[in-house]
Amino acid sequence: MKSVVITIGEDIEVGTFVSKFNDDNGLTGGAPLTVKDFLDFTGSSNLTNRQKIVKTYTPEEQLKWMSGADPTMIKAGIFVRVPLNKTMVEKQLIYGKNQYLKQDNFNAYFNEYQKILQSSDGYYKLESLISHIDRVSIDAQIVNLNVRVWIYSKVLDELIDVSPLVVACNTSKNMAMGAFSITLNPAKSLEFDVEYPTAVNQKGSVNTFNFTGNRDELNADYLEKYIQYNDLVFIRFERLQVEKDDVGYESGQVLKLSTLANPITDPNENPSWYRVWDMMGLVDSVDVTTNFSYTDKSISIKGRDFMKLLSEDGSYFYSYRFMSASDNRFMWMGDENSGVFKRNILTGQFEQYFLNYSLKSIKEYLGFVVNRLSNLGIISSNVFSSYGERLSKLNKVEGIDDENRNLKGVWSIIKFFFDEHINDRVLSGDLGGADGTLLELFNRICQPPFVEIFGDTWIDMFNFTVRQPPFTGESIRSVINDSANYITIENKDLLNLTLGYDTTSYAWYQVTPSDTSTGEEGKTTAANIPVVFLPQIAEVFGNKRLQISDIYLYTGALKGQEQIGDIDFISQAILNDLLFLIESFVYLPFTRKGTIQINGDRRIKVGTFIRLDATDELYYVTGVDNSLTIGSNIDRVTTIQVERGMRWDLIKGVDTGEVRMARNPRTNTVGLGFEKARTTVIDQNKTVPVRYSYFNIVNTEELRKSILENRRTGNAFNSSSMIKSDFNINEDVFEYMLKRRYL
């Protein structure tokens, strides 16, 4: 019978544990687990749960906690194994679809706001004109360069437009964090001396500022008085065709709060135009620089995007329900109705996320964490009231009523998008220690390289994308099959290229189950998990190993009551992730990475793809810097950090007409610890065509077929089998890539 390994987080009575397990998994009215069945159960272990528990007792504890031959208490920190019957499996299958998860069916995932923009025919820079002069090889490109910066001041309780004061503006974004820096001229007020129309829906201004007053005292700037830590900032560089510039000014540079929201009331409909921000963030510092030599003054505002909420906000959870009932009583010196109390004190209905023993999806865990932190909104929720029904709500989780699902403040304009493919990944046990930053909690739930999470500004929302990294062959091919999935960089926009081949390479691939899901018996499971060694990689690039501890289980692997052969569901999940690692990393030495500098293009974001026309390559974007400097010259540049640069033709695959002799599987064993199924027969004299591609370097499909065939027939993994590892590498493709015959 299948089972799940559970980490015991605190001392608990055996009867209480079994009762809670039945309640958590909906077994109370069906086929509940009994105390006797639990204590007698061994799973794939040689020890019963009874024996495991008793082994942890001291002689004194045996006298205290034994009832005949049975223990009555389970100590914290040990692992027990609980059977999964059909009722529990159906209860726990949150999104399970496939009996066995196949990585090569996974297309690249993009969030909905990103899809809206990149598929829009107006997603390009406004007023861009190319003039081809007859018989003269000169191209003139005219680009409308401007910047818009809006700031919500908590002191003023107003949204102000400081765009006319901007001297320089820089944004920097990578997968972990976004930052901005804005340099402004000083102003005595937001009522400028002269305003004049410059173009349709635009205005210019003349701003004068007296450095000193009548008694030679320094005049204070308006912004240094009213902009402070954690004020809200919106930044946009040049206007896109899909945007309009009409805004509602109440007086001077003060804006109506309603101008924040895009012109849409129904969240399921798209407006004809959008207000698209490049970065939404919170202020870190406001610094004033005064130069007495040149009688000059400037204001510098620095901050970070909403990822700041995760990196700076510490989580300190106290289980009030249990502490208040203990001998050392917990005393809360404050209002139990306050958001801080609700955020940090687990009052009972949420302790199940820390102290229960059922399987949970990534979405469930993140929903719990967001709920606990969203009580601190930083900015008043009223600021975003014009968003209407588009305001975010907490994902439905057990214990949260609909009326309590409204998110507070900044969190109301933050949305989470989940790749459907990660729905098949679940975590067992609890979150562990909850102390630390919220970013640490997020990263604990979303384990790279299997799952990635990153946040960025899209349109007028901040979106968190949780997905499987789009690095497999099927994912990359799905990107190039639709031009809306990437931004093309044309030669006319290139300023500088610094590119070189990636030096990341691994000859050994190993995935081991995490102790949180397998415990002490993980050592037994790990012995049945293959270690794939690629000697050709080692000889050329070095003998380096990629070893990952896998914290996930698959819902699909839990279906049914019996194991197939000797392959338990943990082994199946680990083997599947092993293939994912090989397919995602083995081609890296043959790809390029580096820096691309271009004329300003705000459309390019982290986690997206670009096509470089000059080299006909596809690149994955890991960092974007946008800068605008207004002085004697106007300088607008975008600098992009890229990796996994692949030639377009080698993504699709190149057929040169070459053939090779088919291998005889009976003379080769797959690097998985078992022989390939003997029912498959290949004529040794048969030739097969050679197809050159990044995703044909390793025979991952042959490995997959072998896994599925052995799983279907019930053949056991035999870790003592000889491994002939040259079966894994397509040597023709490897040599083609290594010698760069495509150049």
Side-chain angles (χ1 to χ4, degrees), residues 377-407:
I378 308 298
I379 303 294
S380 171
S381 298
N382 295 331
V383 174
F384 311 106
S385 59
S386 59
Y387 281 74
E389 291 301 315
R390 291 198 300 127
L391 289 174
S392 299
K393 292 185 177 181
L394 175 70
N395 290 317
K396 288 187 177 181
V397 294
E398 187 177 349
I400 304 293
D401 298 329
D402 280 351
E403 58 267 23
N404 296 323
R405 290 176 57 228
N406 293 327
L407 293 173

Side-chain angles (χ1 to χ4, degrees), residues 46 76 87 108 183 190 219 223 273 305-306 310 320 416 435 520 543 562 572 576 621 627 630 659 669-670:
N46 294 323
T87 303
T183 302
L190 294 184
N219 284 332
L223 298 177
W273 63 274
D305 67 6
F306 291 165
L310 305 184
Y320 180 74
F416 280 77
D435 285 0
E520 297 172 334
N543 192 25
E562 300 297 330
Q572 295 173 30
N576 188 67
V621 179
S627 65
I630 302 173
V659 296
T669 53
V670 183

Side-chain angles (χ1 to χ4, degrees), residues 63 89 146 250 276 305 324 339-340 393 403 417 437-438 459 464 477 493 505 517 689:
L63 294 175
V89 168
N146 53 44
E250 291 189 310
V276 181
D305 67 6
S324 60
V340 175
K393 292 185 177 181
E403 58 267 23
F417 291 91
T437 67
L438 299 172
I459 307 182
F464 279 100
R477 291 188 183 106
D493 285 318
S505 64
S517 62

Side-chain angles (χ1 to χ4, degrees), residues 465-712:
T465 301
V466 186
R467 69 182 184 187
Q468 175 175 284
F471 299 149
T472 63
E474 192 69 21
S475 295
I476 297 295
R477 291 188 183 106
S478 74
V479 171
I480 67 173
N481 286 338
D482 187 348
S483 60
N485 292 334
Y486 56 87
I487 301 295
T488 298
I489 297 178
E490 301 178 54
N491 292 350
K492 64 184 177 63
D493 285 318
L494 280 178
L495 300 178
N496 184 56
L497 291 177
T498 304
L499 299 169
Y501 280 91
D502 201 327
T503 58
T504 304
S505 64
Y506 301 102
W508 297 80
Y509 291 86
Q510 182 178 7
V511 179
T512 58
S514 170
D515 286 344
T516 59
S517 62
T518 60
E520 297 172 334
E521 294 169 337
K523 298 177 181 178
T524 303
T525 303
N528 292 325
I529 302 301
V531 179
V532 175
F533 173 54
L534 307 175
Q536 297 90 336
I537 299 290
E539 291 173 5
V540 176
F541 299 108
N543 192 25
K544 289 172 281 189
R545 179 179 65 176
L546 178 61
Q547 183 177 20
I548 304 292
S549 178
D550 195 339
I551 66 173
Y552 298 113
L553 306 176
Y554 285 123
T555 58
L558 300 179
K559 291 183 178 178
Q561 290 182 283
E562 300 297 330
Q563 293 179 190
I564 299 178
D566 294 331
I567 309 173
D568 61 24
F569 68 92
I570 294 177
S571 296
Q572 295 173 30
I574 299 302
L575 286 168
N576 188 67
D577 281 345
L578 180 67
L579 292 178
F580 171 75
L581 288 183
I582 295 172
E583 187 172 357
S584 300
F585 285 88
V586 73
Y587 59 76
L588 281 183
F590 311 107
T591 65
R592 299 205 296 169
K593 66 177 183 178
T595 303
I596 302 174
Q597 192 176 70
I598 61 175
N599 289 321
D601 193 336
R602 54 184 287 224
R603 300 174 301 162
I604 299 170
K605 299 270 195 174
V606 297
T608 65
F609 290 87
I610 62 167
R611 178 173 184 167
L612 187 59
D613 259 3
T615 59
D616 198 27
E617 290 175 308
L618 182 78
Y619 282 93
Y620 184 67
V621 179
T622 59
V624 180
D625 295 344
N626 279 297
S627 65
L628 172 67
T629 303
I630 302 173
S632 56
N633 294 312
I634 298 178
D635 189 18
R636 171 74 177 97
V637 174
T638 297
T639 303
I640 314 163
Q641 298 295 325
V642 294
E643 62 181 37
R644 296 179 181 265
M646 302 181 187
R647 290 176 59 90
W648 208 262
D649 54 349
L650 291 178
I651 294 174
K652 296 179 178 180
V654 174
D655 292 318
T656 63
E658 300 175 55
V659 296
R660 62 172 173 80
M661 299 300 297
R663 296 177 184 270
N664 186 341
R666 298 189 180 186
T667 62
N668 294 275
T669 53
V670 183
L672 294 171
F674 55 83
E675 292 187 356
K676 190 175 179 181
R678 297 181 182 275
T679 56
T680 303
V681 178
I682 297 178
D683 184 355
Q684 194 168 5
N685 297 320
K686 182 179 179 181
T687 59
V688 294
V690 179
R691 187 174 180 83
Y692 298 109
S693 171
Y694 297 103
F695 308 106
N696 289 346
I697 297 172
V698 173
N699 288 309
T700 53
E701 188 58 32
E702 291 298 325
L703 301 183
R704 188 189 320 281
K705 288 179 181 178
S706 296
I707 294 171
L708 292 172
E709 180 65 19
N710 279 272
R711 177 177 181 273
R712 185 184 66 80

Side-chain angles (χ1 to χ4, degrees), residues 176-197:
M177 185 67 64
F180 62 85
S181 175
I182 308 165
T183 302
L184 303 167
N185 283 321
K188 59 185 178 182
S189 72
L190 294 184
E191 296 286 348
F192 296 140
D193 298 285
V194 179
E195 294 184 355
Y196 57 92

